[in-house]
RNA sequence: AGGACUAUAGCUCAGUUGGUUAGAGCGCUACCUUGACAUGGUAGAGGUCGGCAGUUCGAAUCUGCCUAGUCCUACCA
């Protein structure tokens, strides 16, 4: 074995072996356990969040696989409608071709081509992360089977009356030319203006103050072209006489009514609001209440129309309203139109004033442009009814969120859920299975033939399929069951659904988790007709952030590719990677500077296991995960520690040639034979059981950080720091018996072998690599650690006596080391040690552990004094009541020792005062549980005794 | 506006049902190439647990208020 841990030498080949041998597929035996990977966006590449996610899921999957479950982890991607279409359009754009030049079919073919080329990125990343997904069951939302499922779901929902089509205001993206759902709109704080406009009253009416106009305030003056009313509060005394009268809308000269509606806030502005039902969601509601016409003045690019389009609130065309618009603005972009309209108001002396105003601007999360409420025909899922059982499933615990607090977030959204706009004006996606006849009547069916036969439509009727496609999240919502073969009732569906746990970030609880729950409960039923949940647990993890705590995003240029932490990357390559293909190239310089500052040396290579272990150790209950390179380096070092511990074990249990290759095994008890376990052996075996307990508990509670910590502490602080050291005096003792040697060798290999299995779910590669060589020495056989049983606690092997004895031993050794350290005695120097005030237990422990003491504390001699012996002047450490003495002669400076004692005495004085104070408080003694009081009494007694001893010692030395 | 979450060592974070001398890793200081490991070892320094009140014999832990930060939802035109 190499002297240091070299991850690259072992990772790739093990993954290939595992995959080739089919270890990732379900075993077909045992209780089913399944996880569906949250499908990454096929256009993209995995970022740190995915890396984190994968580390968690793979740990769970490997853990359950080792526990003998019939384990399925199914991978796949979603087609990411808008994002993918954008990427391919941009590529075509670079060649001067638009998708319209190509036509729909050819364009979709281009997307498939592109997907073939780039789809390998993600699968390669998943492999490099060590994820043991069943590649044979990889799925893609646009695959035939899943497309079937989408169609089926749409048709059934429509039949159930849960999907409808209607003309509504939607969030329109004027750049991408599609509707998007509420969730895809980001409301961003921006600075804007509030324009106060004068709207002249018709028919000579005047306000209470005698003005001939009303003042409305607006952040979007250009929409005034579509105003269909002005509203005041019904109880607003200022405007009582004007309700029912009319306004002459400036520039347009349309007469519009003054209505009363309690939507209006009297305190805000002038208490008068312009109502534009076709261009504002609130105004739309007001319009509905007052039966106002919907006057659309914008086209799909959000430019001003030459003539308005007018509808009634029920969506029918309105022919009563004059559609004339001023010619000056026709074809102008909304922002240009805004400027000119404001100028026109000013010129007409109708501009009262302009105030600065902070507002939230709705922007498309993909395009970044301002979203326009726009009147269109769209398909909707009525969510209220679907939400009911989805809420219940969480209320009654069929689905549990971990941590639980996320249930509140879920409930609050579900209880106020809005209908979901599922149609998108895109080409890439599942085309809506709806057809129209020439009269515009709509028919829904699985295909045109079904529609014709169902509605008795002869060939003379021409049918045209809806051009639109479905929201990607619609297909993702079916993910847990569509990927298992639904609508067929496949064996896979019966076996692996409900899945066990969904692992995801809280940012997509609404987008995905909630919708999956609604859809699954609706479509998937048990034999008794009760609905099936998509998953029993939702493990919600935090978002991975950079070291500054900022969210990682491409536009900020602070993203990290998990592979770059695994393999390492030079500074230049990292800068290049972060600044390539930017949506906003002007940020490149800033990103470059920032990158050079944060990673002046680039990024070192840490290997997959260290990365995964780091992710696990960060998986506590918080919402943010600040990724800390220092922490990962620490865990890389941990891998090295394991590596070297294994080297040591192998050196002492194998027969090795000059190069360290194995040429035979020493007797580790693999073939039986008498075995004598030392105290240290019994101790480490006991500690191993406790570690197994902790890890088991932590996995059960999704506390991967605690599992990682328990493993780390056991392996480093107990096995390496103490046990390996304690094994040396036995292994190197020429007088050791065969049974003793066999016992220690057996414990060395068995504990290591078990620890490897314990750690394997989190660190698959290093554990496999070492296990291959350790297993035979531990009497284990098998092709891979992956399918070995996960360690089970054996409570009988917990040995409290051994633990107490080793604690004593550690106390003595640390005490001596402390004197050495503080007194500057060279570690190389052999020193004598004496024990005074020795109890029977101490006597036994000294006798049993003399050789350990000598070796680990590097002692010249170990002497237990009897009551009659006179102790030489010494530096002293207390272990319980026993005094550990290091004679001062020639070694220790008087003043240094006094200072050291004084420090100890100060500590003890404080302790005595603190505990004594507590015990002097009668209400404490009266009210606290007896055990607690007894504990405090013992504490006080110990501290007082220790203080006395040390004080006496101090006086003795001081007197010299 | 409503709600959630967070605040513990210089940094990144643990801390189970209230009872610890409040822990870990990194960083820092001193010493050490001892036959697994310098990606290491030994010893050590470092914390008024955001602030203020309260409940309690006892609070990092429970309650209220405040401050700071993060986020979500809704929104005043």
């Amino acid at each position: 074995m190499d002297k240091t841990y070299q991850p690259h030498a072992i990772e790739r080949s093990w993954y290939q072996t595992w995959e080739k041998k089919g270890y990732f597929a379900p075993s077909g035996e045992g209780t089913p356990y399944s996880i569906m990977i949250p499908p990454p966006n096929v256009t993209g590449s995995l970022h740190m969040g995915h890396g984190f996610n994968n580390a968690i899921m793979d740990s769970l999957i490997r853990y359950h696989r080792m526990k003998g479950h019939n384990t399925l982890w199914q991978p796949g991607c979603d087609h990411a409608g808008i994002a993918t279409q954008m990427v391919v359009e941009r590529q075509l754009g670079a060649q001067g071709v638009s998708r319209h030049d190509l036509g729909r079919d050819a364009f979709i073919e281009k997307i498939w081509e592109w997907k073939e080329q780039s789809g390998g990125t993600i699968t390669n990343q998943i492999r490099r992360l060590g994820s043991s997904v069943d590649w044979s069951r990889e799925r893609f939302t646009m695959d035939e089977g899943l497309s079937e499922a989408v169609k089926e779901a749409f048709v059934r929902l429509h039949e159930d009356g849960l999907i409808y089509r209607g003309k509504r205001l939607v969030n329109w993206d004027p750049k991408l030319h599609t509707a998007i759902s509420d969730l895809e709109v980001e409301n961003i704080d921006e600075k804007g203006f509030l324009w106060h406009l004068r709207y002249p009253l018709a028919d000579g009416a005047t306000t209470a103050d005698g003005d001939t106009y009303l003042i409305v305030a607006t952040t979007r003056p250009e929409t005034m072209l579509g105003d269909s009313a002005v509203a005041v509060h019904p109880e607003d005394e200022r405007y009582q006489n004007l309700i029912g009268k009319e306004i002459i809308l400036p520039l347009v000269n349309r007469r519009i009514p003054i209505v009363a509606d309690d939507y209006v806030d009297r305190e805000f502005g002038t208490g008068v609001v312009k109502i534009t039902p076709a261009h504002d969601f609130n105004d739309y509601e007001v319009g509905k209440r007052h039966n106002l016409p919907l006057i659309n003045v914008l086209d799909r690019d959000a430019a001003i129309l030459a003539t308005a389009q007018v509808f009634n609130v029920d969506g029918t065309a309105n022919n009563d309203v004059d559609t004339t618009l001023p010619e000056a603005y026709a074809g102008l972009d909304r922002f240009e139109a805004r400027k000119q309209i404001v100028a026109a108001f000013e010129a007409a002396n109708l501009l009262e004033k302009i105030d600065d105003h902070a507002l939230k601007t709705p922007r498309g999360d993909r395009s970044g442009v301002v979203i326009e409420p726009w009147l269109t025909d769209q398909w909707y899922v009525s969510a209220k009814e679907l939400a009911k059982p989805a809420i219940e499933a969480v209320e009654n615990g069929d689905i549990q969120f971990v941590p639980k607090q996320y249930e509140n977030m879920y409930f609050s959204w579900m209880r106020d859920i809005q209908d979901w706009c599922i149609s998108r004006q895109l080409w890439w996606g599942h085309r809506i299975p709806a057809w129209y006849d020439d009269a515009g009547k709509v028919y829904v069916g699985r295909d045109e033939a079904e529609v014709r036969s169902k509605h008795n439509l002869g060939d003379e009727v021409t049918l045209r399929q809806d051009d639109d496609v479905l929201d990607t999240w619609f297909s993702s919502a079916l993910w847990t069951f569509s990927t298992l073969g639904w609508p067929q009732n496949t064996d896979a569906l019966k076996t692996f659904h409900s899945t066990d746990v969904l692992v995801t970030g809280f940012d997509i609880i609404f987008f995905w988790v909630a919708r999956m729950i609604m859809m699954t409960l609706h479509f998937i039923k048990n034999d008794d007709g009760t609905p099936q949940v998509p998953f029993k647990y939702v493990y919600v993890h935090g978002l991975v952030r950079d070291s500054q705590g900022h969210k990682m995003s491409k536009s900020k240029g602070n993203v990290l590719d998990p592979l770059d932490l695994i393999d390492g990357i030079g500074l230049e390559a990292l800068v290049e990677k972060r600044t390539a293909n930017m949506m906003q190239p002007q940020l490149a310089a800033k990103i470059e500077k920032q990158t050079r500052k944060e990673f002046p040396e680039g990024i070192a290579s840490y290997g997959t296991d260290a990365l995964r272990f780091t992710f696990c150790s960060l998986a506590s209950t918080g919402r943010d995960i600040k990724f800390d390179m220092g922490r990962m380096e620490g865990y890389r070092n941990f891998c090295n520690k394991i590596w070297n511990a294994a080297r040591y074990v192998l050196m002492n249990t194998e027969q090795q040639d000059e190069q360290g290759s194995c040429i035979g095994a020493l007797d580790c008890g693999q073939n039986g034979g008498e075995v004598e376990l030392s105290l240290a052996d019994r101790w480490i075996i006991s500690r191993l059981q406790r570690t197994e307990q902790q890890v088991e508990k932590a996995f059960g509670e999704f506390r991967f950080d605690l599992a990682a910590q328990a493993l780390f502490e056991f392996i480093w602080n107990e096995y390496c720091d103490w046990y390996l050291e304690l094994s040396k005096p036995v292994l190197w003792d020429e007088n050791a018996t065969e049974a003793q040697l066999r016992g220690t060798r057996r414990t060395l290999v068995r504990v290591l072998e078990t620890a490897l299995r314990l750690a394997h779910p989190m660190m698959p590669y290093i554990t496999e690599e070492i296990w291959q060589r350790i297993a035979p020495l531990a009497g284990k056989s098998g092709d891979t650690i992956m399918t070995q049983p996960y360690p089970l606690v054996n409570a009988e092997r917990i040995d409290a006596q051994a633990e107490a004895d080793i604690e004593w031993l550690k106390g003595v050794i640390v005490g001596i080391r402390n004197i050495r350290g503080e007194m500057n005695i060279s570690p190389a120097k052999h020193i004598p040690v004496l024990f005074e005030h020795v109890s029977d237990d101490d006597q036994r422990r000294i006798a049993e552990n003399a050789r350990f003491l000598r070796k680990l504390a590097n002692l010249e001699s170990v002497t237990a004094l009897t009551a009659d012996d006179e102790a030489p002047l010494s530096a002293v450490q207390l272990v319980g009541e026993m005094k550990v003495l290091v004679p001062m002669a020639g070694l220790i400076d008087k003043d240094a020792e006094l200072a050291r004692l004084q420090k100890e005495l100060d500590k003890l004085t404080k302790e005595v005062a603190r505990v004594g104070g507590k015990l002097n408080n009668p209400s404490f003694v009266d009210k606290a549980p007896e055990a607690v009081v007894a504990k405090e009494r013992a504490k006080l007694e110990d501290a007082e005794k220790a203080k006395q001893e040390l004080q006496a010692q101090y006086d003795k030395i001081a007197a010299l």
Side-chain angles (χ1 to χ4, degrees):
Chain A
M1 283 174 87
D2 285 330
K3 195 172 167 185
T4 51
Y5 160 66
Q6 304 290 349
H8 307 97
I10 57 178
E11 293 183 356
R12 270 180 214 262
S13 66
W14 275 120
Y15 195 90
Q16 281 164 11
T17 305
W18 293 332
E19 188 177 347
K20 207 164 58 202
K21 297 226 171 162
Y23 297 149
F24 298 161
S27 63
E29 287 162 23
T31 317
Y33 183 88
S34 61
I35 296 179
M36 300 300 164
I37 208 165
N41 172 339
V42 72
T43 58
S45 59
L46 301 189
H47 51 64
M48 292 292 278
H50 295 111
F52 182 86
N53 204 269
N54 269 261
I56 300 300
M57 283 187 280
D58 197 39
S59 296
L60 282 169
I61 284 290
R62 287 178 184 270
Y63 172 72
H64 284 278
R65 191 184 287 123
M66 289 176 80
K67 293 195 80 140
H69 295 147
N70 186 18
T71 305
L72 171 65
W73 185 15
Q74 189 161 280
C77 290
D78 76 35
H79 62 280
I82 294 180
T84 308
Q85 180 161 324
M86 272 172 74
V87 169
V88 177
E89 276 193 278
R90 214 183 312 145
Q91 275 182 352
L92 289 171
Q95 302 159 28
V97 182
S98 82
R99 72 182 152 109
H100 300 282
D101 297 338
L102 282 180
R104 185 164 186 150
D105 291 342
F107 178 69
I108 288 175
E109 214 162 286
K110 282 275 174 215
I111 296 184
W112 278 107
E113 276 172 30
W114 177 84
K115 189 238 165 197
E116 288 314 310
Q117 285 169 27
S118 69
T121 308
I122 287 176
T123 53
N124 176 54
Q125 285 177 307
I126 292 177
R127 285 184 166 89
R128 291 299 314 283
L129 289 166
S131 297
S132 56
V133 297
D134 183 359
W135 290 109
S136 72
R137 297 196 55 93
E138 187 182 357
R139 294 291 184 269
F140 178 49
T141 45
M142 287 294 284
D143 281 346
E144 209 174 310
L146 274 73
S147 299
E148 266 320 295
V150 168
K151 201 188 291 175
E152 184 69 24
F154 185 95
V155 172
R156 286 201 204 173
L157 284 169
H158 185 262
E159 287 168 356
D160 296 337
L162 293 168
I163 279 185
Y164 65 91
R165 185 168 189 271
K167 192 181 279 296
R168 298 287 148 85
L169 270 194
V170 294
N171 298 297
W172 182 261
D173 187 317
K175 182 177 173 194
L176 300 174
H177 294 143
T178 180
I180 57 179
S181 80
D182 298 349
L183 292 175
E184 290 160 301
V185 178
E186 290 178 336
N187 293 303
I188 299 173
D189 280 311
E190 289 182 17
K191 276 186 216 157
F193 302 98
L194 199 54
W195 285 272
H196 294 253
L197 308 177
R198 296 176 184 166
Y199 277 19
L201 292 158
D203 307 320
T206 54
T207 65
D209 297 337
D211 288 333
T212 57
Y213 52 82
L214 287 176
I215 299 169
V216 300
T218 180
T219 54
R220 308 198 49 204
E222 69 280 10
T223 63
M224 60 78 53
L225 299 175
D227 285 358
S228 57
V230 161
V232 297
H233 194 275
E235 287 151 29
D236 193 332
E237 288 165 12
R238 294 171 291 179
Y239 305 114
Q240 284 300 316
N241 64 320
L242 295 176
I243 295 170
K245 300 231 162 80
E246 291 188 317
I247 290 279
I248 307 284
L249 189 62
L251 309 187
V252 191
N253 292 321
R254 186 190 304 138
R255 287 176 79 99
I256 57 173
I258 298 166
V259 300
D261 195 291
D262 55 16
Y263 153 72
V264 179
D265 177 357
R266 276 171 283 182
E267 309 299 316
F268 191 91
T270 55
V272 186
V273 188
K274 65 193 267 306
I275 300 297
T276 323
H279 294 288
D280 182 283
F281 288 101
N282 289 309
D283 292 6
Y284 180 78
E285 294 302 316
V286 176
K288 275 208 286 200
R289 286 196 286 273
H290 297 275
N291 200 27
L292 299 170
L294 315 177
I295 304 170
N296 174 39
V297 299
L298 294 176
D299 67 12
R300 64 204 287 269
D301 294 310
I304 306 293
L305 289 168
T307 50
Q309 300 163 344
V310 187
F311 301 91
N312 298 312
V313 287
D314 62 4
T316 56
N318 174 315
N319 298 316
D320 303 333
V321 175
D322 181 6
T323 60
T324 310
L325 292 176
E327 279 172 34
Y329 313 116
L332 285 185
D333 176 74
R334 50 190 164 164
F335 298 113
E336 182 56 30
R338 176 179 300 177
K339 274 189 216 159
Q340 297 202 13
I341 286 171
V342 170
F345 268 83
E346 191 165 18
N349 196 30
L350 293 173
L351 182 63
E352 176 79 12
K353 61 171 174 173
I354 306 173
D355 289 342
D356 288 337
H357 187 66
L359 68 159
K360 295 251 191 190
T361 309
R363 288 185 179 272
D365 63 359
R366 290 283 171 197
S367 66
V369 301
V370 177
I371 293 301
E372 205 59 57
W374 202 47
L375 206 54
T376 53
D377 290 306
Q378 301 290 347
W379 291 92
Y380 292 87
V381 171
S382 356
K384 289 252 179 320
E385 195 173 323
L386 289 167
K388 240 181 272 169
I391 291 168
E392 283 162 19
V394 175
E395 280 173 342
N396 67 25
D398 290 347
I399 299 173
Q400 293 182 48
F401 281 72
V402 179
K404 204 166 179 57
Q405 72 231 24
Y406 288 105
E407 290 181 1
N408 292 329
M409 193 168 158
Y410 172 82
F411 287 138
S412 70
W413 190 70
M414 290 298 269
R415 285 173 182 150
D416 188 32
I417 196 166
Q418 303 298 312
D419 284 357
W420 173 17
C421 175
I422 50 170
S423 42
R424 296 288 182 275
Q425 287 65 51
L426 304 174
W427 286 353
W428 175 237
H430 301 102
R431 197 155 167 187
I432 292 175
W435 282 261
Y436 303 88
D437 62 20
D438 287 337
K441 188 163 191 281
V442 62
Y443 307 94
V444 170
R446 287 164 185 81
D447 51 41
E448 188 174 333
E450 183 185 292
V451 166
R452 284 184 187 277
S453 70
K454 204 163 145 194
H455 297 277
N456 294 318
L457 303 174
D459 292 341
E460 74 285 359
V461 182
T462 48
L463 289 177
R464 174 178 59 79
Q465 188 174 2
D466 197 312
D467 280 328
D468 292 347
V469 299
L470 290 164
D471 183 5
T472 307
W473 294 106
F474 186 88
S475 46
S476 308
L478 317 177
W479 185 248
T480 62
F481 55 93
S482 64
T483 50
L484 290 171
W486 188 86
Q488 264 77 53
N489 190 19
T490 59
D491 286 342
L493 188 62
K494 282 182 263 185
T495 307
F496 294 111
H497 206 275
S498 306
T499 68
D500 286 86
V501 49
L502 176 73
V503 178
T504 187
F506 64 84
D507 52 332
I508 56 172
I509 287 181
F510 308 140
F511 273 106
W512 192 43
V513 181
R515 288 164 175 175
M516 253 196 296
I517 294 174
M518 290 193 284
M519 290 298 191
T520 309
L521 291 169
H522 186 72
F523 285 114
I524 310 296
K525 309 290 180 187
N526 293 311
D527 292 338
D528 64 2
T530 54
Q532 251 180 47
V533 294
F535 27 70
K536 295 152 201 157
Y537 291 95
V538 182
Y539 172 72
V540 183
H541 60 248
L543 256 42
V544 181
R545 295 169 183 280
D546 70 9
S547 55
Q548 311 289 309
H550 297 128
K551 198 166 165 177
M552 291 187 180
S553 77
K554 180 94 180 128
S555 60
K556 280 198 204 113
N558 59 352
V559 287
L560 287 172
D561 179 342
L563 295 199
D564 291 340
L565 304 184
I566 293 172
D567 296 332
I569 185 169
L571 175 59
E572 298 310 322
L574 182 62
V575 167
E576 164 70 15
K577 203 166 168 173
R578 282 182 160 189
T579 52
N581 297 320
M582 297 204 48
M583 300 271 262
Q584 295 161 281
Q586 70 273 18
L587 295 176
K590 193 179 152 203
I591 288 169
E592 175 170 354
K593 196 177 153 200
Q594 183 187 306
T595 302
R596 288 184 188 280
K597 191 177 163 204
E598 194 179 354
F599 302 104
E601 314 284 331
I603 298 172
S605 152
Y606 297 96
T608 301
D609 288 323
L611 177 65
R612 290 174 55 129
F613 199 79
T614 307
F615 281 135
C616 287
S617 73
L618 295 173
S620 60
T621 56
R623 260 193 2 187
D624 298 319
I625 297 157
K626 271 194 229 177
F627 197 83
D628 180 13
M629 290 287 172
R631 196 118 175 212
M632 184 163 57
E633 188 174 343
Y635 292 126
R636 194 270 319 266
N637 295 351
F638 177 49
C639 290
N640 187 59
K641 194 74 182 174
I642 296 174
W643 187 259
N644 276 290
R647 283 183 66 218
Y648 168 80
V649 171
L650 291 170
M651 286 165 92
N652 288 288
T653 52
E654 286 178 345
Q655 294 175 303
Q656 298 185 340
D657 64 15
E658 307 272 302
Q659 284 76 44
S661 298
C662 178
I663 52 171
L666 296 177
D667 185 351
C668 306
Q670 339 46 339
N671 307 313
E674 194 196 339
V675 163
E676 184 183 327
L677 294 185
S678 71
L679 169 62
D681 294 333
R682 284 180 283 121
W683 169 74
I684 196 68
I685 290 166
S686 179
R687 298 306 304 166
L688 176 64
Q689 307 310 310
R690 296 203 193 267
T691 307
E692 289 168 2
Q693 266 172 348
Q694 287 174 45
V695 171
E696 179 79 27
K697 180 165 184 277
F699 261 105
E701 295 168 348
F702 298 97
R703 286 300 302 269
F704 304 94
D705 59 328
L706 299 180
Q709 197 189 350
L711 277 166
F712 183 94
E713 271 175 15
F714 174 75
I715 293 175
W716 200 316
N717 303 129
E718 297 192 313
Y719 187 73
C720 292
D721 282 353
W722 288 100
Y723 180 68
L724 294 190
E725 294 308 319
L726 290 166
S727 74
K728 289 174 184 175
V730 179
L731 295 175
W732 299 347
D733 182 352
E734 287 166 10
N735 301 319
T737 66
E738 270 309 304
Q740 286 173 332
L741 288 171
R742 201 179 285 124
T744 292
R745 288 199 198 107
R746 193 180 83 172
T747 307
L748 274 173
V749 293
R750 280 195 183 179
V751 172
L752 178 58
E753 193 273 336
T754 310
L756 291 172
R757 280 184 285 128
L758 209 54
H760 179 259
M762 294 187 180
M763 327 174 86
Y765 292 116
I766 189 174
T767 50
E768 176 75 292
E769 178 74 14
I770 296 171
W771 187 84
Q772 292 290 329
R773 210 156 146 182
I774 287 288
L777 297 165
K780 298 265 175 178
S781 58
D783 293 329
T784 174
I785 192 174
M786 269 187 69
T787 54
Q788 295 298 308
Y790 203 70
L792 289 175
V793 182
N794 180 350
E796 286 174 15
R797 310 209 70 176
I798 293 177
D799 186 335
Q801 175 73 51
E803 291 187 0
D805 285 354
I806 292 286
E807 276 315 302
W808 175 91
L809 180 68
K810 283 160 78 172
V812 173
I813 291 168
V814 169
I816 297 166
R817 284 177 182 168
N818 177 281
I819 291 172
R820 258 189 209 278
E822 302 257 313
M823 295 299 112
N824 274 323
I825 299 170
S826 157
K829 171 109 184 133
H830 283 41
I831 53 175
V833 160
L834 304 120
F835 297 106
E836 196 182 4
H837 215 292
V838 176
S839 72
D840 290 349
D841 247 356
D842 293 330
Q843 186 63 55
R844 173 183 63 79
R845 284 163 167 165
I846 292 166
E848 286 173 0
N849 293 295
R851 67 173 164 178
F852 292 134
L853 284 171
R854 259 177 221 271
K855 170 70 187 151
L856 270 63
N858 198 19
L859 302 184
E860 173 191 288
S861 62
V862 174
T863 314
L865 300 177
T866 65
D868 304 331
D869 292 331
E870 183 71 19
L873 201 60
S874 301
V876 65
Q877 276 283 343
L878 292 169
V879 174
E881 289 178 28
M882 183 180 78
K883 287 158 99 173
V884 180
L885 306 174
V886 177
M888 288 174 71
L891 284 173
I892 293 167
D893 174 68
K894 175 184 160 185
D895 292 336
E897 174 63 5
L898 284 177
R900 195 180 69 87
L901 284 171
Q902 191 58 55
K903 204 170 80 180
E904 278 303 306
L905 280 168
D906 289 348
K907 229 191 260 178
L908 286 167
T909 304
K910 259 193 230 162
E911 174 77 355
V912 167
R914 196 180 61 83
V915 180
K918 232 182 198 181
L919 285 164
N920 282 333
N921 179 352
S923 48
F924 171 71
V925 182
D926 288 350
K927 294 188 182 172
E930 213 167 309
V932 173
V933 178
K935 202 170 149 193
E936 292 298 312
R937 285 222 172 89
K939 217 188 270 179
L940 180 63
E941 200 179 324
D942 289 349
E944 275 174 340
K945 260 190 207 157
K947 193 181 160 192
Q948 274 170 25
E949 293 283 3
L950 292 186
Q951 188 63 55
Q953 180 75 9
Y954 185 94
D955 295 344
K956 207 154 99 187
I957 294 173
L960 283 176

